[in-house]
Amino acid sequence: MLTYQFDDKRIRIQESPNGDDIEFRIELLDDAETLVPRLKAVRACFEDNDVLTDVLFYAYPNHVYAAIVRPDYYADFVLQLMKHRLLRSAAWTES
């Protein structure tokens, strides 16, 4: 199982099932002007590949975003969040 941690003073991430997929609700709390470009870089990574339905992004008011992630792209998505410094840590754990 892949687990991750984030700075809850700067960002809030919630996961929930969305049919067969996983929905991430991402809220940028503090320092949003720094975090928005990082989240856009994550989105660009998935928009620039050949798979159209790997991750679907939605933007809402007040720096709230949703990402609907296919299960086979879950690890890729979490690792992109880590790569762009939206997470503090990501680790594989025994389930």
Side-chain angles (χ1 to χ4, degrees):
M1 176 160 90
L2 182 58
T3 61
Y4 56 87
Q5 295 180 338
F6 52 89
D7 182 350
D8 60 1
K9 292 182 179 80
R10 299 179 73 203
I11 189 170
R12 186 175 302 133
I13 301 174
Q14 298 172 326
E15 288 184 38
S16 60
N18 185 329
D20 292 335
D21 300 325
I22 301 100
E23 183 172 345
F24 285 79
R25 184 178 185 277
I26 301 169
E27 185 177 357
L28 306 178
L29 303 172
D30 189 28
D31 199 22
E33 59 277 348
T34 302
L35 299 178
V36 167
R38 294 179 190 181
L39 190 57
K40 286 183 178 182
V42 172
R43 182 182 69 195
C45 172
F46 292 100
E47 287 181 350
D48 291 341
N49 68 15
D50 294 334
V51 182
L52 298 177
T53 60
D54 51 359
V55 180
L56 303 174
F57 284 88
Y58 301 91
Y60 298 100
N62 301 319
H63 300 294
V64 176
Y65 303 86
I68 300 175
V69 180
R70 281 187 7 197
D72 51 333
Y73 283 90
Y74 180 88
D76 293 6
F77 181 74
V78 170
L79 294 176
Q80 282 297 319
L81 293 175
M82 182 69 185
K83 175 182 177 182
H84 292 286
R85 298 180 303 151
L86 292 163
L87 301 178
R88 282 189 171 171
S89 67
W92 293 105
T93 59
E94 298 292 324
S95 49

